[in-house]
Amino acid sequence: MKISSKGSTMERRDALKVMGISGAALLAGGGTSASAKTKLSTFASKKKADIVIVGGGTAGMTVAARLRRSAPNAKITLIAPNETHLYQSGQVYVAAGLFSEFDNKRPTSELLPDNVTWVKDKVTAFDPDKNRVQTAKHNTVPYDYLVVALGCEYDYNAVEGLDVSDIGKHGIASVHLNDIEKGTSTGAIVSRLWLKAIRRKAQRSEVKVLFSDPQTPVKGEGASLSMLFLANDMLKGNGLKIKGKDLQHKVKFTLTKAGKVLFPSAKIDAALKRTMKKTDNVSVSYGYILKRIDKEKKVAVYANGDEEVNVSYDYLHITPPMKAPQVVRDSKLSIKDGLHKGWLDVDEKTLRHPKYRNVFGLGDVVGLSSGKSGGAVREQAIVLQDNIAAIMEGKVEPMSYEGYSVSPIKTRYGRVMLAEYTPKGLAPMFPLDPTTPRWIWWEMDLHLMRRAYFDLMMRGML
Ligand SMILES: Cc1cc2nc3c(=O)[nH]c(=O)nc-3n(C[C@H](O)[C@H](O)[C@H](O)COP(=O)(O)OP(=O)(O)OC[C@H]3O[C@@H](n4cnc5c(N)ncnc54)[C@H](O)[C@@H]3O)c2cc1C
């Protein structure tokens, strides 16, 4: 097998070598960091302090493990309700028929770092003037330093006529749908059945499939694109172990985007548009904001400028509008106006609250222009590991987050475009052009990343 790389070709064994090196570097945490000046933690504080982390997802667990090292004498408490931890990045592979839902789960108790106290509860209010949080069952919990890592909420109801209970019915799927508190990802399972249903229908008739992306920031930015590309590839008989003739010509895909781009990074956007042009059956409508759906008639109604546009479909994939959890939106810690209204207010470089200086945030909950991803969390956690320890020592924050995020976009079964970027442009960790979909990234994403996530990132080692 030949693999093309920057105009040259690589034999499979060379590619494996590259993957070996990159995989090892990745697993050892030795890749260059887009934000951190070094990955070796230089700051540690022996001071005593109460550090409270709220949220036990990707961000909360990672930062707990890292702070455990940089603040060895601090009392660290993690408040989160979920007994099961879900690897959300694996949901697309569940839909694609390559993972089971079970593979993406671990008990929170297994991942919890040593000497971190877990309060299994929900935060119901923030009281930053009194340095404490209110919980549902454990009264108030005081802190010297607070790290907010509460993720984000789906807002399916923002689309008139749509309810979360409609996912999996009426031809509607949404790979994003999960319940972080319960550790379930119904949307991934539903999406697998949905893909099969599209293929079955295409055997009998023409099919219209609509993908709708919202105008809000979203986590896992490439997930709907991955679903679209995989759905189209599946029609050729790839993936999902479906044999049979090529049915691509029977299915028309329409993707609607609220903005003017497919992806926030210009070079990735251009590369994706080139990839799309290679297929005749995919079109994109820009400036479309989904207002309501008529589930019975299978019509989606959009605002497009001043006009209302009806789009009929047989199958609909929804990326839900997303917002900060209500407890954040209602608190003094949220941004009160503008583009990021409702999300957690933090400085884009230091991830520190501008007013409440002992409050920090990371992960999906922060109101920044950078992408929301597990990759972003990894960089942000490195920054907070050192900065909080430095602040405990009365020093200036040494580390700065440069807005890195990553999205492994599955352009077909066996190919991933590893879109690594910051608001300034591409930010590849490996010396390969990130705009080229590659087999090597597919292999890494499918076979290495989940293990690296549970065994290394959750331990603050990646
Ligand atoms: C379909 C899909 C595909 C994705 N693909 C990728 C990918 O390929 N690569 C990638 O890097 N990222 C991907 N992501 C994004 C990634 O999963 C998230 O960005 C990441 O999990 C964010 O971590 P977080 O800790 O901020 O939020 P979460 O992991 O969602 O955790 C939030 C935590 O807050 C807790 N919580 C919520 N409310 C409260 C409360 N009131 N009190 C206490 N605790 C509370 C929850 O129980 C949970 O523990 C994908 C996401 C989805 C949905």
Side-chain angles (χ1 to χ4, degrees), residues 54-61 79-82 84-92 121-124 149-154 175-178 180-181 219-223 322 325 327 362-365 372-377 405-408 410 445 453:
V54 294
T58 310
M61 299 301 277
I79 306 173
N82 52 296
T84 300
H85 184 105
L86 189 65
Y87 174 62
Q88 299 174 59
S89 304
Q91 286 177 213
V92 173
D121 205 345
K122 285 184 93 160
V123 171
T124 51
L150 292 185
C152 66
E153 269 178 23
Y154 295 141
V175 75
H176 298 81
L177 179 60
N178 54 25
I180 299 296
E181 200 174 323
K219 61 174 162 181
E221 261 161 346
M322 300 185 200
V327 66
L362 80 167
D364 295 343
V365 73
K372 296 186 187 301
S373 68
V377 165
S405 187
V406 60
S407 194
K410 290 84 170 148
D445 194 38
Y453 178 89

Side-chain angles (χ1 to χ4, degrees), residues 18 55 58 140 186 197 208 281 284 352 459:
V18 172
T58 310
T140 54
T186 319
K208 284 183 282 184
N281 63 335
V284 188
R352 192 175 187 182
R459 292 170 206 278

Side-chain angles (χ1 to χ4, degrees), residues 111 123 134 155 165 229 242 253 256 298 356 392:
L111 301 174
V123 171
Q134 180 70 46
D155 193 8
S165 61
F229 288 130
I242 297 170
F253 290 95
T256 59
K298 296 197 168 178
Y356 297 100
M392 286 167 71

Side-chain angles (χ1 to χ4, degrees), residues 138-178:
H138 293 80
N139 295 322
T140 54
V141 180
Y143 59 80
D144 297 311
Y145 300 97
L146 175 70
V147 181
V148 182
L150 292 185
C152 66
E153 269 178 23
Y154 295 141
D155 193 8
Y156 287 98
N157 288 324
V159 179
E160 206 183 307
L162 179 70
D163 185 74
V164 69
S165 61
D166 296 321
I167 310 302
K169 299 177 199 154
H170 315 287
I172 304 174
S174 178
V175 75
H176 298 81
L177 179 60
N178 54 25

